[in-house]
Amino acid sequence: MTAIEIRNLSKSFGAVRAVDGVSFTVKAGTVTGYLGPNGAGKTTTLRSLLGLVTPDSGEALVNGKRYRDMATPLNEVGAVLEATNFHPGRTAHNHLRLLCVAAGLPVARAEEALGQVGLAEAAGKRVGGFSLGMRQRLALASALLGEPKVYILDEPANGLDPAGIQWLRGFLRHLAHDRGAAVLVSSHVLSEVEQTVDDIVIIAAGRLVRQGTLAELTTNGEKTVRVRTTGDGELAPALEKAGATVERLDGGALRVHGLEPEEIGRIVLDQRVVLTEMIAERSDLQKVFLELTEER
Ligand SMILES: Nc1ncnc2c1ncn2[C@@H]1O[C@H](COP(=O)(O)OP(=O)(O)OP(=O)(O)O)[C@@H](O)[C@H]1O
Ligand SMILES: [Mg+2]
């Protein structure tokens, strides 16, 4: 089910075509990474979805609607934008309670949301003393208040330490995979999102460069596994018999096309050879990302 739809979206600022005819969709139950180098047009696209940028042409819809046509936007879409400003003198708890009151949500949601992002203990502290990572968590908590099924997050990993990034990955996957939410998360750092996302949309200089599932973009559909064993000669014919195509590499390793690592492992076991190396190979998405973005 399509939860977010960007259709032929264009937006210029003066002579700069920030977004140029971009189209993509985000399905419920998936995390989609919106990737591109600095200035690619990510924030402009996300702000269009939230009614903060008026497109020159095309549409940016959540649940088939424009943001400004939503009766209760906080129940439909949760957003975390870059450089969110919080009143420094307010506590985290108060900040969220005010949002609840303004949106007609039960104030108990403030405490629940702080708990969900791991800020329960900092609830009574003034936001002015928060680290960047804590501010990101607070921004995420405000997105959770209305328990929406669509999340739009602009570089939410900025300022998080490695443990925070790890936590964020798990949390976004939980929202999508356990709660059925559609999550659109932007980043200019591929490695930040490649362990989180199901789908990827790559943009550079305002134009869509590539889109697909993570698997499609990393392997173009083909998986290979490199194996090395102590038993020469016995394994390759057994793998071929099981339907694999086997390349013999320099140094005695085999590159196996067409079998899953587990299937190969079972054949190794049957052959009673000793495995010294087994690596599932994927084309390096980082390389793909750089090549794609440098082309323009
Ligand atoms: N309000 C604005 N006024 C003028 N130019 C703008 C405005 N917003 C964005 N731009 C320009 O549009 C282009 C795309 O910017 P955008 O912020 O969407 O990129 P981004 O992909 O989010 O980049 P980053 O990774 O740096 O956040 C850039 O050239 C930027 O300078
Ligand atoms: Mg940006």
Side-chain angles (χ1 to χ4, degrees), residues 6-11 19-23 45 48 55 57-60:
I6 300 288
R7 203 189 299 148
N8 238 331
L9 188 75
S10 294
K11 176 70 182 181
V19 177
D20 192 0
V22 167
S23 300
T45 308
S48 302
S57 60
E59 288 184 292

Side-chain angles (χ1 to χ4, degrees), residues 85-92 95 124-130 135 138:
N85 282 320
F86 300 108
H87 190 297
R90 239 172 238 153
T91 66
H95 173 75
K125 299 214 171 93
R126 286 177 203 281
V127 179
F130 275 23
R135 284 164 199 261
L138 182 59

Side-chain angles (χ1 to χ4, degrees), residues 124-195:
K125 299 214 171 93
R126 286 177 203 281
V127 179
F130 275 23
S131 67
L132 186 52
M134 288 167 87
R135 284 164 199 261
Q136 287 286 29
R137 287 181 191 243
L138 182 59
L140 192 55
S142 43
L144 294 168
L145 291 174
E147 300 179 273
K149 285 293 186 81
V150 175
Y151 292 89
I152 294 171
L153 314 172
D154 199 6
E155 311 246 4
N158 269 357
L160 294 183
D161 57 20
I165 290 177
Q166 187 75 19
W167 168 83
L168 183 68
R169 278 187 188 132
F171 191 70
L172 298 186
R173 294 182 71 84
H174 161 74
L175 286 175
H177 300 165
D178 304 333
R179 302 259 196 112
V183 179
L184 176 60
V185 52
S186 79
S187 181
H188 63 283
V189 185
L190 175 65
S191 58
E192 243 168 42
V193 297
E194 66 182 325
Q195 292 172 51

Side-chain angles (χ1 to χ4, degrees), residues 13 16 18-19 36-45 82 154-155 188:
F13 296 103
V16 178
V19 177
N38 292 132
K42 304 180 296 294
T43 297
T44 303
T45 308
E82 287 176 313
D154 199 6
E155 311 246 4
H188 63 283

